[in-house]
Amino acid sequence: MKMFCYQCQEAAKGIACQAGSGVCGKSAETANLQDLLIFIMKGMSYYQGIARNHNLEEKSVDEYIVNGLFKTITNANFDDLVFLKEIEKGLKIKRELFEKLKQKSIDTGNPPPHAQWDSLDENEIEMQSKKVGVLETENEDLRSLQELVIYGLKGMAAYLHHAQNLGQDDIDIVKFIERALVSTTDRKLGADELVSLVLETGEYGVKAMALLDKANTEAYGNPEITEVNIGAGSNPGILISGHDLSDMEQLLRQTEGTGVDVYTHSEMLPANYYPAFKKYSHFHGNYGGAWWNQKKEFETFNGPILFTTNCIVPPLDSYKSRMYTSGNSGFYGCKHITPDESGKKDFSEIIQQAKKCRAPVEIESGTIVGGFAHNQVFALADKVVEAVKSGAVKKFIVMGGCDGRMKNRSYYTDFAEQLPEDTIILTAGCAKFRYNKLKLGDIGGIPRILDAGQCNDSYSLAVIALKLKEIFELDDINELPIVYNIAWYEQKAVIVLLALLFLGVKNIHLGPTLPAFLSPNITGVLVEKFGIAGVTTADEDIKNLIL
Ligand code: SF4
Ligand code: SF3
């Protein structure tokens, strides 16, 4: 079966995954169902926009869209049944909304095909899922810009969803998401309008990340400097991965006093930096590296693994029965934990299974240091400013973003290793696993790798940059001694990138390869307007960026 997906950095041959399954393991069926889900959300947003103008909007649409976008993020959900159910649910919601507008005799204008298509017949759903998708737009430049917006929205929806889980919301972000979805169906919009929409996506990306920062810090305190144990203990453990801190909290509470320890994996590592979590004595530390190492590391972990979000690698049979998902993540054959009406999740089955498992095999030992989100860095501001003024620190390098399995990502280890000793790395996201265990030392007590947290905590890095701009009384954020060498993989990194562009950051280097969804012309626009560039070799880039 055919598919077309080029939303992540590992798109086959740097073009797109088009055969029976993607490099990530997503089947063509799943890819097509995801395309249909996006298609339906565009149509639903069209009616919701009209309904909103008459104060008739449906909350269920807003929820559906935020969840739906999140589900289609790379490596979040591989379960066809989930997508089929969502499609059926979406068509029903859309139909009800349309009926509501019709009953009130509200003019629905000229709806795009996305709003008009409707069928609950399984065969027709399958046929439609093969028809719709990225290639609907023939012009590759317009397609490129539309998809840049869509991928940004996916990342934004994920961050918004996490904030919502913690009781924070911003309807303006939801309204923007829906408006932008409709805009991608508008064949009258040209490249200029779509470039503006891309930047607006970045603007709302900043808002979503700020909201999530507020949600996380109000719920769990400000991240603080923390030494995280990377060894293993003697109790059985549960490994938790992904980005959802609310799941983290619930798991810690429910495992307390059970004799089962909790370990973080990949993007959950920064949970170790939060005061509200550090207080649990059975919160052992972090196990392993970035997401793509999971086949090896989940085998040796021995205990159950809970995925709260992306990034899932299709599991081996040897540990599949120990793998659980929650929220918008999913994998067929793995138990999904659903919340009750108040949002509480019952992890008792996972805990019971953990009790019967052996303790994790220790694969490394020692500690790593992190917790340098904005509040902690501001507390060190005097030291940092002094180090810059005295020349002890010549440059900061923002190296946040994602990790991935491609061999050429060893570039980031080489780059970090070869950096001159008067430089400091600012990082966030799972990209850090390429260098966070290197012994790079410190400069006058400031570690040379400052980890702010998860990819969404890139917001912290922007806040730190803006604060430094203020302290040094500069007119332009680009006058700071900060260079950007960002690694990307999935759509959360896309929204981080767009947010940085919106904040006026220029000359961002993006690697290990530029996105396949950027057409040559659109790459040209990004180079010209924002100085975006790729990466070459660690040697060359250090010469060009740092020296
Ligand atoms: Fe390919 Fe990435 Fe799409 Fe997976 S998400 S199918 S690897 S482009
Ligand atoms: Fe990593 Fe998936 Fe993107 Fe959140 S866990 S940064 S890749």
Side-chain angles (χ1 to χ4, degrees), residues 3 5-12 16-17 21-26 31 73-75 405 489 491:
M3 63 186 277
C5 181
Y6 63 177
Q7 67 175 357
C8 86
Q9 190 269 328
E10 293 185 354
C17 297
S21 65
V23 174
C24 60
K26 177 166 78 176
I73 277 189
T74 299
N75 293 339
R405 63 204 127 192
Y489 172 62
Q491 299 77 52

Short mmCIF file of all heavy atoms in Angstrom, two decimals, residues 3 5-12 16-17 21-26 31 73-75 405 489 491, ligand 1:
data_model
loop_
_atom_site.label_atom_id
_atom_site.label_comp_id
_atom_site.label_asym_id
_atom_site.label_seq_id
_atom_site.Cartn_x
_atom_site.Cartn_y
_atom_site.Cartn_z
N MET A 3 1.86 5.27 0.72
CA MET A 3 1.70 6.32 1.72
C MET A 3 2.60 7.46 1.30
O MET A 3 3.43 7.31 0.39
CB MET A 3 2.13 5.80 3.11
CG MET A 3 3.61 5.41 3.19
SD MET A 3 4.08 4.64 4.76
CE MET A 3 4.35 6.06 5.80
N CYS A 5 4.68 10.33 3.62
CA CYS A 5 4.90 11.06 4.86
C CYS A 5 6.32 11.59 4.85
O CYS A 5 7.27 10.85 4.57
CB CYS A 5 4.67 10.14 6.06
SG CYS A 5 4.91 10.98 7.64
N TYR A 6 6.45 12.89 5.08
CA TYR A 6 7.81 13.46 5.17
C TYR A 6 7.93 14.41 6.35
O TYR A 6 8.65 15.37 6.30
CB TYR A 6 8.25 14.08 3.85
CG TYR A 6 7.47 15.27 3.27
CD1 TYR A 6 7.90 15.88 2.10
CD2 TYR A 6 6.35 15.81 3.90
CE1 TYR A 6 7.26 16.97 1.54
CE2 TYR A 6 5.68 16.90 3.35
CZ TYR A 6 6.14 17.46 2.17
OH TYR A 6 5.48 18.54 1.64
N GLN A 7 7.18 14.06 7.41
CA GLN A 7 7.10 15.03 8.51
C GLN A 7 8.30 14.99 9.47
O GLN A 7 8.45 15.88 10.28
CB GLN A 7 5.81 14.84 9.28
CG GLN A 7 5.67 13.53 10.05
CD GLN A 7 4.39 13.49 10.88
OE1 GLN A 7 3.64 14.45 10.92
NE2 GLN A 7 4.16 12.40 11.58
N CYS A 8 9.11 13.95 9.41
CA CYS A 8 10.22 13.92 10.37
C CYS A 8 11.57 13.88 9.66
O CYS A 8 11.65 13.74 8.44
CB CYS A 8 10.07 12.74 11.34
SG CYS A 8 10.76 11.20 10.74
N GLN A 9 12.61 13.95 10.44
CA GLN A 9 13.96 14.06 9.89
C GLN A 9 14.42 12.76 9.23
O GLN A 9 15.35 12.77 8.43
CB GLN A 9 14.93 14.48 11.01
CG GLN A 9 16.33 14.86 10.56
CD GLN A 9 17.26 13.66 10.56
OE1 GLN A 9 17.12 12.76 11.37
NE2 GLN A 9 18.22 13.65 9.64
N GLU A 10 13.76 11.66 9.58
CA GLU A 10 14.21 10.39 9.03
C GLU A 10 13.42 9.96 7.79
O GLU A 10 13.46 8.78 7.41
CB GLU A 10 14.19 9.31 10.13
CG GLU A 10 15.24 9.60 11.20
CD GLU A 10 15.38 8.53 12.26
OE1 GLU A 10 14.60 7.57 12.27
OE2 GLU A 10 16.28 8.68 13.10
N ALA A 11 12.71 10.89 7.17
CA ALA A 11 11.96 10.59 5.95
C ALA A 11 12.88 9.83 4.99
O ALA A 11 14.03 10.21 4.77
CB ALA A 11 11.47 11.87 5.30
N ALA A 12 12.35 8.73 4.41
CA ALA A 12 13.19 7.84 3.59
C ALA A 12 13.89 8.60 2.47
O ALA A 12 13.28 9.43 1.79
CB ALA A 12 12.31 6.73 3.01
N ALA A 16 10.76 11.21 1.36
CA ALA A 16 9.50 10.86 2.04
C ALA A 16 9.42 9.35 2.19
O ALA A 16 10.02 8.62 1.40
CB ALA A 16 8.30 11.35 1.23
N CYS A 17 8.69 8.90 3.20
CA CYS A 17 8.41 7.47 3.31
C CYS A 17 7.19 7.20 2.43
O CYS A 17 6.13 7.80 2.65
CB CYS A 17 8.12 7.09 4.76
SG CYS A 17 9.54 7.36 5.84
N SER A 21 5.74 0.96 4.63
CA SER A 21 5.83 1.51 5.99
C SER A 21 6.96 2.52 6.06
O SER A 21 7.83 2.56 5.19
CB SER A 21 6.07 0.39 7.01
OG SER A 21 7.31 -0.20 6.77
N GLY A 22 6.91 3.34 7.11
CA GLY A 22 7.91 4.40 7.26
C GLY A 22 9.15 3.90 7.98
O GLY A 22 9.14 2.80 8.56
N VAL A 23 10.18 4.71 7.95
CA VAL A 23 11.42 4.38 8.67
C VAL A 23 11.12 4.21 10.16
O VAL A 23 11.74 3.39 10.84
CB VAL A 23 12.47 5.51 8.44
CG1 VAL A 23 13.72 5.28 9.27
CG2 VAL A 23 12.82 5.62 6.96
N CYS A 24 10.14 4.93 10.66
CA CYS A 24 9.80 4.87 12.08
C CYS A 24 9.01 3.60 12.42
O CYS A 24 8.77 3.33 13.60
CB CYS A 24 8.97 6.09 12.47
SG CYS A 24 7.43 6.22 11.53
N GLY A 25 8.58 2.88 11.40
CA GLY A 25 7.78 1.67 11.66
C GLY A 25 6.29 1.91 11.47
O GLY A 25 5.49 0.99 11.64
N LYS A 26 5.92 3.14 11.13
CA LYS A 26 4.49 3.43 10.91
C LYS A 26 4.05 2.77 9.60
O LYS A 26 4.68 2.96 8.56
CB LYS A 26 4.33 4.95 10.84
CG LYS A 26 2.93 5.43 10.54
CD LYS A 26 2.77 6.92 10.83
CE LYS A 26 3.35 7.82 9.77
NZ LYS A 26 3.09 9.24 10.05
N ALA A 31 -0.43 5.59 8.39
CA ALA A 31 -0.09 6.90 7.81
C ALA A 31 -1.31 7.49 7.09
O ALA A 31 -1.63 8.67 7.25
CB ALA A 31 1.08 6.76 6.84
N ILE A 73 1.67 12.97 15.73
CA ILE A 73 3.11 13.28 15.84
C ILE A 73 3.93 12.00 15.63
O ILE A 73 3.50 10.91 16.01
CB ILE A 73 3.40 13.90 17.24
CG1 ILE A 73 3.07 15.39 17.19
CG2 ILE A 73 4.80 13.66 17.70
CD1 ILE A 73 3.51 16.16 18.39
N THR A 74 5.08 12.16 15.05
CA THR A 74 5.97 11.02 14.83
C THR A 74 6.17 10.21 16.11
O THR A 74 6.48 10.78 17.17
CB THR A 74 7.34 11.51 14.32
OG1 THR A 74 7.14 12.20 13.10
CG2 THR A 74 8.31 10.35 14.11
N ASN A 75 5.99 8.91 15.99
CA ASN A 75 6.27 7.98 17.09
C ASN A 75 5.36 8.12 18.32
O ASN A 75 5.72 7.67 19.41
CB ASN A 75 7.73 8.09 17.57
CG ASN A 75 8.71 7.61 16.53
OD1 ASN A 75 8.33 6.87 15.63
ND2 ASN A 75 9.95 8.03 16.64
N ARG A 405 18.11 8.15 15.38
CA ARG A 405 19.00 6.98 15.30
C ARG A 405 20.03 7.07 14.18
O ARG A 405 20.89 6.22 14.05
CB ARG A 405 18.18 5.71 15.20
CG ARG A 405 17.32 5.60 13.96
CD ARG A 405 16.15 4.66 14.18
NE ARG A 405 14.94 5.38 13.81
CZ ARG A 405 13.72 4.99 14.09
NH1 ARG A 405 13.51 3.89 14.77
NH2 ARG A 405 12.68 5.70 13.70
N TYR A 489 14.14 16.38 14.93
CA TYR A 489 13.68 15.07 14.47
C TYR A 489 12.18 15.12 14.17
O TYR A 489 11.77 14.83 13.07
CB TYR A 489 13.98 13.98 15.51
CG TYR A 489 13.34 12.65 15.18
CD1 TYR A 489 13.67 11.98 14.01
CD2 TYR A 489 12.37 12.09 16.02
CE1 TYR A 489 13.05 10.78 13.68
CE2 TYR A 489 11.76 10.89 15.70
CZ TYR A 489 12.10 10.24 14.52
OH TYR A 489 11.48 9.06 14.19
N GLN A 491 7.96 16.84 15.17
CA GLN A 491 7.23 18.09 14.97
C GLN A 491 7.27 19.03 16.17
O GLN A 491 6.95 20.21 16.06
CB GLN A 491 5.79 17.78 14.56
CG GLN A 491 5.69 17.01 13.25
CD GLN A 491 6.02 15.52 13.42
OE1 GLN A 491 5.46 14.88 14.28
NE2 GLN A 491 6.95 15.00 12.63
FE1 SF4 B 1 8.79 8.41 7.63
FE2 SF4 B 1 9.12 10.12 9.65
FE3 SF4 B 1 6.76 9.88 8.47
FE4 SF4 B 1 7.73 7.92 10.04
S1 SF4 B 1 7.11 10.02 10.66
S2 SF4 B 1 6.70 7.67 8.09
S3 SF4 B 1 9.92 8.04 9.51
S4 SF4 B 1 8.63 10.66 7.55
#
